[in-house]
Amino acid sequence: MAVNRMFRTCPTTGLVFHQPAERLIIVNAVTAVVFLLIGGLLALGVVLTRWPAVHWLAADRFYQVLTAHGINMLIFWIIFFEIAGLYFCSAVLLKSRLATPRMAWAGYGLMLIGALVNNYAVLRGDSSVMMTSYVPMSAHWSFYLGLILFAVGALVACFVFFGTLVVAKSERTYVGSVPLVTFGAITAAIIAVFTIASGAIILIPTFLWSLGLISHIDPLMYRTIWWAFGHSSQQINVAAHISVWYAIAAIVFGAKPLSERVSRMAFLLYIFFLQLASAHHLLVDPGLSSNWKIFNTSYAMYLAVLASMVHGLTVPGAIEVAQREKGYNHGLFQWLRKAPWGNPVFSGMFISLIGFGFLGGISGVMMGTEQLNLIIHNTLYVPGHFHATVVIGTTLAFMALTYFLIPVLFRREVMFPGMAKWQPYVFGFGMYGVALFLMAAGTLGVPRRDWDITFAGNTFPYEFPGAAFLMLGLAGISGLIAIVGGGMYLLNTVGSVFLGKRVVTPGFAYVRAADGVAPAPKPVSAAITGHGSAVGAWGLVAPGTFSFAMVFLASFVLYYFINWKYLATVWPLK
Amino acid sequence: MTAIHTPTERVWWKQPLDRAELLWILIALAWCMVLFFMMPYWHLYGKQNLANEAYRTGPEQFSKLTDEMVSKYKVREEGGDLKVPVVHPPAGGDAYLIARLWSWYPILELEAGKSYRIHLMSMDYQHGFSLQPENINIQVLPGYDHVITVTPTHAGTYGIVCNEYCGIGHSTMTSKLYVVK
């Protein structure tokens, strides 16, 4: 079979698109956005029910909507977008042809069928088991089957990605090492393979159990292995969205990584340690020893946390250096004041970075500390945390990247540029509110996944303090703001991609590349080749970022010990 | 070149580290060690730890032990027609608490300042033991008798809320715990 070697070069960025890769990236990204739309509509049901003053849906409908919201957002939207990202980071960034486009289409097909089957199962009404589907609560067999098909499809896509790396290397489409962003994508894909394997190990037996072919699944074993899938899949997101941050720093500022060595080592630490995170969910479970809990929950002494703290410095640090070279060298923060805050690619990325670090990162360490988990486990603090990591961190970073992809990949102009300018702020700050107020409610003991915390009609009701209801109300308002922000994104994205004005470039063509060699790219106009010797205050290249890092550390230390102080007031337990 | 291009230096791993990065890595590493050692430290010097004492058992066995406790130490009944027994187990002794769809059984009455070995287990799905307003949260699994040695500090009426989703009646799964002087 002849290999398709048709390429086009983007006139503004110099990026090279292999024709089949381009189509696959487009289709995966568009599918992702469709699932974001579904998840976003479902979010409305969740928000308007957990807001006690509104309390919209009936209990059965609420649990059904919550199950579907979690799976569509956390799995389908994010992973379809990540597959698009993997193809972009391999074929496009390495200027290579995509290996086996047909397999990539087969993977896409499996993922799509899986996602539809799973949604069908939840829609039936007998599979409102939440994303975690803890045994022995059982869903319809098609619930598990859908997830298995989706996972197999995603695995196929990961191997197409690895295959493309091999093709690029053997056809010499690049010299030296792969770009840092591709390295981050490799990290994400390696973690994905581990994650999907764990998912298969637990979901296949659970599927057989739902059909009656296996009599018993141990709940603790289920939780241990399921979370090796459930939590590690969030580590795919972390690796993916940090790669997106690096990519946006490069795209918007032409920023060069402070040092390739440090950033790559940090990604490597993710691969070594992130798969231990299953323990985060088992800290107050019976049947596991404290030694096991401490070692695993800390990713072997917090080395993966170290990695995230490193990325948190190097991404804005690289931006600061690039800005200082452009002349924004005054004081500690001129580089940041003069950043393009009206460009949603940048503002989305920066709001994502700050929210992920301050809200998601710090709260994650709290929950993952063995003893502190006692005052957090299964409260609303948990969804508060992961709306900061997965929504502010991953989803907002992906949204920001979309504004870059609309002209470059889809060759359309953004339909409502004014709306695009505001969208990251509305969505981002709405979600900051959701994360903060849910965490506050969780600190007051409010349970997650609970239809009615007034416990009206119960024989022995418990009355939460008024402050808890205030926090839930504020979370509800923030949630609505975030949903409006999400709607702005969807309207603009779908409008631009399908109805937007075409970007017309004279002489546009797909060019057949000589066998084994991609067409030579045009030089990137914005690229900066090195960061020279510009050194700011305290003999540091990025003093502004460094002082930010110190503020971050101070908040982290303070909040950490406040939590221990709070724990110390609780009943003694042994 | 930038993060979306191949590194300019072929031998990038030999480039010297920037001072800001090196400093931050050292500070962050030191902090990570603090985060790690706080957990073993709290096991030695802190008062809120789980002993991870747990036994595999079955619902019949656990129900039997609970019923024995109820028949020996029942002090009254509450909850109108439901007649949920309130049990005052001996200080320092074992107390059993059953989680099931969608109730807790029985109601325990403990003495402030005394220690109890509370056994938690589910009869069916997974549940969550959430003691309010203390905000102590523990996972409750079927098949695992989880023993928690607890010392209530203040007298009062506490709420027990299920905080692991357990189906349509999840919100109705609340109960009480009394602490008396």
Side-chain angles (χ1 to χ4, degrees):
Chain A
M1 193 183 68
V3 173
N4 181 336
R5 289 185 189 278
M6 300 302 281
F7 288 84
R8 75 170 173 94
T9 303
C10 173
T12 44
T13 59
L15 292 171
V16 176
F17 290 87
H18 179 225
Q19 200 175 29
E22 185 185 20
R23 275 190 220 123
L24 277 155
I25 295 168
I26 287 175
V27 169
N28 276 285
V30 168
T31 311
V33 170
V34 172
F35 283 103
L36 180 70
L37 171 67
I38 298 171
L41 290 172
L42 294 162
L44 207 57
V46 177
V47 167
L48 292 182
T49 306
R50 287 233 61 171
W51 185 348
V54 183
H55 206 238
W56 179 36
L57 298 174
D60 55 346
R61 184 69 69 192
F62 170 72
Y63 292 125
Q64 184 184 20
V65 162
L66 186 55
T67 303
H69 168 70
I71 297 174
N72 280 296
M73 289 301 209
L74 217 44
I75 301 183
F76 302 146
W77 138 250
I78 285 183
I79 295 183
F80 271 115
F81 201 95
E82 278 165 353
I83 299 303
L86 287 184
Y87 295 157
F88 184 88
C89 290
S90 54
V92 178
L93 293 185
L94 298 179
K95 305 174 182 68
S96 167
R97 68 180 171 89
L98 190 78
T100 61
R102 283 179 179 217
M103 289 304 289
W105 281 110
Y108 170 78
L110 276 171
M111 286 169 68
L112 186 62
I113 293 167
L116 294 175
V117 168
N118 178 274
N119 268 296
Y120 158 78
V122 178
L123 201 62
R124 287 169 53 96
D126 58 359
S127 301
S128 304
V129 294
M130 303 295 143
M131 192 181 97
T132 44
S133 56
Y134 289 142
V135 298
M137 185 190 286
S138 163
H140 189 251
W141 55 266
S142 57
F143 178 91
Y144 310 104
L145 183 66
L147 289 178
I148 292 166
L149 291 176
F150 183 87
V152 173
L155 193 62
V156 169
C158 286
F159 282 100
V160 171
F161 167 77
F162 291 128
T164 305
L165 298 179
V166 174
V167 166
K169 185 95 189 159
S170 65
E171 297 189 355
R172 295 170 199 278
T173 64
Y174 65 98
V175 282
S177 307
V178 298
L180 177 60
V181 171
T182 307
F183 193 86
I186 295 171
T187 304
I190 290 171
I191 299 173
V193 172
F194 169 85
T195 300
I196 294 167
S198 308
I201 290 171
I202 198 62
L203 285 175
I204 292 171
T206 309
F207 168 62
L208 298 175
W209 168 76
S210 72
L211 288 171
L213 298 172
I214 289 179
S215 64
H216 176 72
I217 291 189
D218 183 82
L220 181 60
M221 178 199 76
Y222 179 92
R223 287 167 62 79
T224 310
I225 305 174
W226 193 91
W227 278 113
F229 159 71
H231 202 104
S232 305
S233 65
Q234 307 320 312
Q235 324 291 20
I236 309 173
N237 303 340
V238 173
H241 77 234
I242 287 177
S243 305
V244 169
W245 293 348
Y246 277 113
I248 288 176
I251 290 161
V252 176
F253 299 94
K256 179 184 185 293
L258 290 181
S259 92
E260 295 278 352
R261 179 159 59 144
V262 169
S263 298
R264 284 172 202 242
M265 275 304 293
F267 275 123
L268 200 60
L269 288 177
Y270 282 159
I271 301 176
F272 286 159
F273 298 114
L274 277 182
Q275 64 276 31
L276 306 180
S278 156
H280 290 177
H281 303 264
L282 308 169
L283 295 174
V284 293
D285 273 38
L288 299 162
S289 75
S290 279
N291 288 344
W292 186 90
K293 288 176 179 175
I294 291 174
F295 179 81
N296 284 276
T297 194
S298 68
Y299 304 117
M301 306 180 96
Y302 287 100
L303 294 180
V305 171
L306 175 69
S308 291
M309 288 173 80
V310 168
H311 290 305
L313 178 90
T314 57
V315 175
I319 293 176
E320 178 173 355
V321 170
Q323 286 284 79
R324 284 182 186 279
E325 284 184 349
K326 288 191 189 112
Y328 301 123
N329 213 358
H330 184 72
L332 277 182
F333 297 115
Q334 193 197 24
W335 64 275
L336 191 59
R337 279 201 310 277
K338 297 287 182 186
W341 293 100
N343 177 354
V345 183
F346 166 73
S347 64
M349 170 262 169
F350 208 80
I351 296 168
S352 160
L353 185 142
I354 297 293
F356 179 78
F358 278 85
L359 299 176
I362 293 178
S363 64
V365 169
M366 300 309 133
M367 301 195 305
T369 301
E370 192 203 3
Q371 295 91 341
L372 294 181
N373 191 259
L374 272 167
I375 51 173
I376 295 175
H377 183 74
N378 270 355
T379 65
L380 268 178
Y381 196 95
V382 181
H385 158 75
F386 69 68
H387 279 82
T389 53
V390 181
V391 187
I392 298 171
T394 310
T395 296
L396 185 54
F398 289 178
M399 284 176 170
L401 188 69
T402 312
Y403 293 111
F404 165 75
L405 292 177
I406 289 171
V408 170
L409 173 69
F410 293 93
R411 286 180 283 137
R412 302 274 189 170
E413 284 177 17
V414 173
M415 207 173 188
F416 310 108
M419 191 195 277
K421 206 168 164 175
W422 288 104
Q423 188 272 331
Y425 295 94
V426 178
F427 183 78
F429 291 139
M431 212 41 94
Y432 275 37
V434 170
L436 271 171
F437 296 127
L438 289 184
M439 283 189 229
T443 304
L444 295 165
V446 179
R448 67 185 294 200
R449 295 171 168 179
D450 199 318
W451 170 65
D452 180 17
I453 64 138
T454 65
F455 307 120
N458 289 10
T459 314
F460 306 110
Y462 172 72
E463 196 178 330
F464 278 105
F469 287 89
L470 176 67
M471 291 307 145
L472 288 171
L474 292 171
I477 294 166
S478 310
L480 285 186
I481 295 172
I483 289 171
V484 168
M488 287 161 74
Y489 168 81
L490 289 164
L491 182 67
N492 218 344
T493 312
V494 176
S496 306
V497 166
F498 293 103
L499 306 166
K501 199 168 153 233
R502 280 199 176 277
V503 176
V504 185
T505 335
F508 173 84
Y510 285 94
V511 180
R512 190 174 194 290
D515 279 6
V517 187
K522 290 173 187 159
V524 182
S525 53
I528 287 170
T529 45
H531 59 68
S533 57
V535 173
W538 312 315
L540 303 173
V541 290
T545 304
F546 194 79
S547 50
F548 259 136
M550 285 301 146
V551 172
F552 173 77
L553 186 70
S555 340
F556 199 163
V557 173
L558 193 68
Y559 186 61
Y560 183 67
F561 286 109
I562 287 174
N563 273 285
W564 281 108
K565 185 93 186 144
Y566 171 28
L567 178 72
T569 65
V570 167
W571 290 1
L573 293 162
K574 279 198 300 240
Chain B
M1 296 290 268
T2 75
I4 56 171
H5 300 95
T6 52
T8 325
E9 299 280 331
R10 287 296 295 269
V11 195
W12 48 264
W13 55 91
K14 286 195 177 163
Q15 280 184 311
L17 285 194
D18 173 63
R19 214 169 126 189
E21 279 184 305
L22 189 63
L23 214 60
W24 178 243
I25 291 172
L26 292 176
I27 294 168
L29 185 64
W31 174 238
C32 288
M33 291 304 116
V34 173
L35 294 178
F36 180 77
F37 284 105
M38 268 310 283
M39 291 188 281
Y41 169 84
W42 202 261
H43 272 281
L44 293 174
Y45 300 104
K47 288 205 170 73
Q48 293 78 13
N49 292 289
L50 291 181
N52 300 302
E53 182 182 351
Y55 306 93
R56 268 181 199 275
T57 180
E60 299 80 18
Q61 174 68 8
F62 196 83
S63 290
K64 204 175 127 232
L65 290 167
T66 310
D67 289 339
E68 278 172 16
M69 174 193 73
V70 170
S71 62
K72 264 193 206 158
Y73 304 114
K74 185 165 95 171
V75 288
R76 61 181 183 277
E77 282 174 348
E78 282 191 12
D81 294 343
L82 288 176
K83 293 187 177 169
V84 183
V86 178
V87 179
H88 190 111
D94 292 83
Y96 297 83
L97 186 58
I98 286 177
R100 63 188 174 201
L101 300 170
W102 287 287
S103 63
W104 301 89
Y105 179 90
I107 294 174
L108 298 176
E109 184 178 86
L110 309 176
E111 288 171 34
K114 302 280 168 53
S115 294
Y116 296 85
R117 286 164 50 82
I118 297 186
H119 297 248
L120 287 171
M121 195 173 104
S122 162
M123 298 286 113
D124 34 57
Y125 288 174
Q126 303 195 15
H127 296 289
F129 171 86
S130 177
L131 185 76
Q132 296 300 335
E134 277 302 296
N135 206 8
I136 293 172
N137 304 283
I138 292 164
Q139 190 76 19
V140 184
L141 300 181
Y144 289 85
D145 171 359
H146 193 181
V147 188
I148 292 128
T149 306
V150 58
T151 316
T153 48
H154 300 289
T157 305
Y158 294 82
I160 298 175
V161 174
C162 176
N163 71 359
E164 181 61 78
Y165 170 68
C166 54
I168 184 75
H170 173 46
S171 287
T172 64
M173 190 170 163
T174 52
S175 183
K176 276 183 171 56
L177 185 142
Y178 292 106
V179 177
V180 293
K181 289 222 187 260

